[in-house]
Amino acid sequence: MSAVVLPKHVAAVLKCQKNPLRALEIFNLVKKEHGFSHNLFTYKCMVEKLGYYGEFKAMEVVIEEARQKIDNRLLEGVYITAIRGYGKKGKVQQAVDVFDKMDFFNCEPSVHSYNTIMNILVEHGYFKQAHKVYMKMLEKGISPDVYTFTIRIKSFCRTNRPHVALRLLNNMIDQGCEFNAVTCCTVIGGFYEVNCRVEACELFDEMLRLGITPNVTTFNKLICTLCKKGDVQESERLLNKILKRGVFPNLFTCNLLIQGLSEKGQLNEAARMLEALRKEGLNADVVTYNTLIYGLCKHSKVAEAESYLHKMVNLGFDPDAFTYNTIIGAYCKLGMMQKAHIILNNAVSKGFIPDEFTFCSLIYGLCHDGDFNRAKSLLNEATGKGMKSNVILYNALIKGMCQQGLILEALKLIAEMPEKGCRPDTWTYNLIINGLCKMGCVSDASNILNDAVAKGILPDIFTFNTLIDGYCKQSKLADAIEILNTMWDHDVVPDVITYNTMLDALCKLKTSDDVMETFKVMVEKGCVPNIITYNILIESLCKSRKYMKALDLLEDIQSKGLVPDTVSFGTLINGFYENEDLDGAYELFRRMKQQYKCSHTTAIYNILISAFAKKLKMVMAEKLFLEMNECGCPPDNYTYRCMIDGFCKVDNTEFGYKFLLDNMTKEFLPSKETVGRVINCLCMKNRLLEAVGIIHLMVQKGIVPNVVHTIFEADKKDVAAPKIVVEDLLKKNYITYYAYELLYDGIRDKKILKKLSMKGKLAQMSCSWKHPTSSHLSIDGNQTKGKLAQMSSSWVHSTSSHLSMDGNQTKGNVEPRFVRREIISNA
């Protein structure tokens, strides 16, 4: 090698090498050249290459050599590169060790070193440790820069404290730093993460007003948060704003939007966006197709996903392992094993090599079909091919067996694993323990845990949480607490799921004092509560009728950087109602949106409407009902039930009847109890015409006993079904005997049926009621072919009086007596 080789030449060669050990060989070889010596730049390149590929032992040797050859005070860049290498591989402790040793080797860390280690700590969730590093930096007299503030802002946002992050953002100018688009978008993303959309929108608009426009990379990071939540509409709104400022989306932006649409289930829109890419001058890639295919498979539209696989191939794209595994896995979950094997065979013919994921999907699918012999054969085939992670394959088979309740067979399989050269791991035993707990055999699951520990397999947090949940569901709190205490013996720290499980069980079985005491212990142990924790506390306090203390928790929730959700408010609103404080419930309902920025939902409206309806305050209930649609909260079946019951109780038959008809035109249908309530009211008002119409509408909508579906002949079904419905309503006490007598006569009365037909009442009741059969009532006012007349003649009516066609009594009291002939056989 010529002596004219310069360090920059060597650095360029090192960067081009894909094999880190080959790069190290070149690095060591060039040292032998006369007149050449490595400088700071080449050492940094070599450290970066080795760190990127995880060759950390070799990297440490190079760093040690650099210490001997170069002034240590100049090696900060080398140390920062090493720290980043450890951080990218998740080796946080090793990264911290390198940072701590910088002082020891006479290399004073600057703000860049502090920023690097703080960012790694924040990225991996070590927020308290990152704060300690920041305080140490200030003690050293090192001034923070924009990147420092951005990291701290990211830390606050990751811990759901965007309001604190916003205060820090506003203080940056006082600290001599001007915020940039990255900093602003970090805070905006934090607000979106906790559903504070108003604050996020205001800050985004303020950023643009100040002339700070994010580039497409920064913008993509922002909408990534929204798209993961499925809020594509908001992403598109923000996109339209930056388009006006000359920032154009790239393919990654479109992929994010397709992912968001898929997450929300808007798969047609996602497909249209894929087709529109070419018009925008962007070419879809494998990631684009994989994103759409994954979304389709997630929503069980596997046939459509397969069609996009074929489109990929036709356009010249090579599907990768993710493409094939996604479709194969989806077919297996649906039990369509033949389809899965067809995809697999086609993939193999094109060079695809099945991996652990492929075999796990096939094993799971076969277990779901109950074909355990084939699943075990497939396991043996996979392990015979030298799969490295064969414990994963065993776990897939064990999981399938446990889900089918074959715990003993799964235990036998575990016993066979060592003979096959495969040692069970913690997850293997977790599957068995979880299966036993779901079957209610928690004591047996606890014995399995002891057996695993005796074999040197240590339990993890999932193991203990599963057992604690099992004991809590059986109301065995003493055993659950014993398991909780055992966790510390195994150096497993209880997490928020552990405590939430305990708190929920205490809420159901103990007083609020016991719940609050456990919560106090939870906080003292350093476990950070989440919104689920606080919802349990609110429920417990409401059960103990400590409503003001429960209300005070809303402020505590916000002070912890959390956001009260619909469960929090729903529990409190229901609590106020149970305390006979409807005004307080309604006030909190209004504050929910105005003060706490929490959107109303159909469930929240239902709680309040039900409360007002039970108190017979139907004016307020109706006001809320009308407000629901305006707020984008469509009424559901329960809403209608509350309104109908309330109107019937206040003797407003007309409104109860109209709400019932409206309810019956929806996709959801009222319960027989609700229908019966309206029928009773109509019969009490002698509105037999409408009552009979409801019975026929019930038949048309399928609100009938199961026995009706066994009547196969359409003509007999149409005649017999109304009678069966009426008898079923009486049998279940949904209608009174008085209503029953009127209806029994009415559904056979040819004059009533004719009047229903002639006046078109049924058409008014349901715009969707079409002409079902030739033997039914027509909508155009014509009477149907004589089946009803034939059935009517099968009854002998003996009454001391009769009803007029408008439903009014003509003379005397109605005392219908029915002498039935045996017509069931005819029906």
Side-chain angles (χ1 to χ4, degrees), residues 726-784:
V726 172
E727 289 187 341
D728 182 64
L729 290 173
L730 178 68
K731 183 179 179 182
K732 294 179 178 177
N733 294 320
Y734 293 150
I735 59 173
T736 63
Y737 192 76
Y738 175 74
Y740 166 76
E741 288 185 320
L742 293 181
L743 288 170
Y744 213 103
D745 189 22
I747 60 174
R748 302 301 181 194
D749 193 318
K750 291 186 290 181
K751 294 180 180 180
I752 290 180
L753 295 176
K754 181 178 180 181
K755 188 168 184 179
L756 272 174
S757 175
M758 292 297 292
K759 288 188 175 184
K761 289 289 185 179
L762 298 180
Q764 296 173 16
M765 282 189 252
S766 172
C767 61
S768 62
W769 188 1
K770 297 180 181 178
H771 194 165
T773 64
S774 61
S775 63
H776 218 299
L777 295 178
S778 65
I779 300 303
D780 59 4
N782 295 322
Q783 196 169 0
T784 57

Side-chain angles (χ1 to χ4, degrees), residues 643-819:
M643 295 298 296
I644 293 166
D645 287 356
F647 280 124
C648 289
K649 286 178 182 177
V650 298
D651 199 29
N652 191 335
T653 307
E654 186 62 32
F655 272 52
Y657 175 59
K658 287 181 178 178
F659 269 90
L660 178 65
L661 296 183
D662 188 29
N663 188 193
M664 295 180 84
T665 62
K666 308 293 183 183
E667 292 183 2
F668 38 78
L669 298 173
S671 66
K672 294 178 185 177
E673 183 179 6
T674 302
V675 175
R677 193 181 293 274
V678 176
I679 288 174
N680 285 332
C681 290
L682 289 170
C683 290
M684 289 296 295
K685 301 282 186 180
N686 286 329
R687 296 173 61 175
L688 185 59
L689 192 66
E690 290 94 332
V692 172
I694 289 175
I695 296 297
H696 285 283
L697 191 54
M698 287 176 69
V699 174
Q700 191 270 326
K701 292 289 184 179
I703 312 174
V704 295
N706 290 332
V707 68
V708 172
H709 301 299
T710 64
I711 305 172
F712 296 104
E713 293 83 355
D715 53 349
K716 294 182 180 179
K717 181 176 180 178
D718 290 332
V719 175
K723 180 185 75 68
I724 296 173
V725 169
V726 172
E727 289 187 341
D728 182 64
L729 290 173
L730 178 68
K731 183 179 179 182
K732 294 179 178 177
N733 294 320
Y734 293 150
I735 59 173
T736 63
Y737 192 76
Y738 175 74
Y740 166 76
E741 288 185 320
L742 293 181
L743 288 170
Y744 213 103
D745 189 22
I747 60 174
R748 302 301 181 194
D749 193 318
K750 291 186 290 181
K751 294 180 180 180
I752 290 180
L753 295 176
K754 181 178 180 181
K755 188 168 184 179
L756 272 174
S757 175
M758 292 297 292
K759 288 188 175 184
K761 289 289 185 179
L762 298 180
Q764 296 173 16
M765 282 189 252
S766 172
C767 61
S768 62
W769 188 1
K770 297 180 181 178
H771 194 165
T773 64
S774 61
S775 63
H776 218 299
L777 295 178
S778 65
I779 300 303
D780 59 4
N782 295 322
Q783 196 169 0
T784 57
K785 301 175 182 178
K787 281 288 179 181
L788 290 174
Q790 293 173 18
M791 289 298 297
S792 224
S793 64
S794 301
W795 297 82
V796 178
H797 304 287
S798 174
T799 61
S800 58
S801 62
H802 63 275
L803 295 176
S804 65
M805 287 303 98
D806 59 1
N808 296 319
Q809 195 170 340
T810 54
K811 51 183 177 178
N813 294 325
V814 179
E815 295 179 355
R817 294 184 299 278
F818 305 103
V819 181

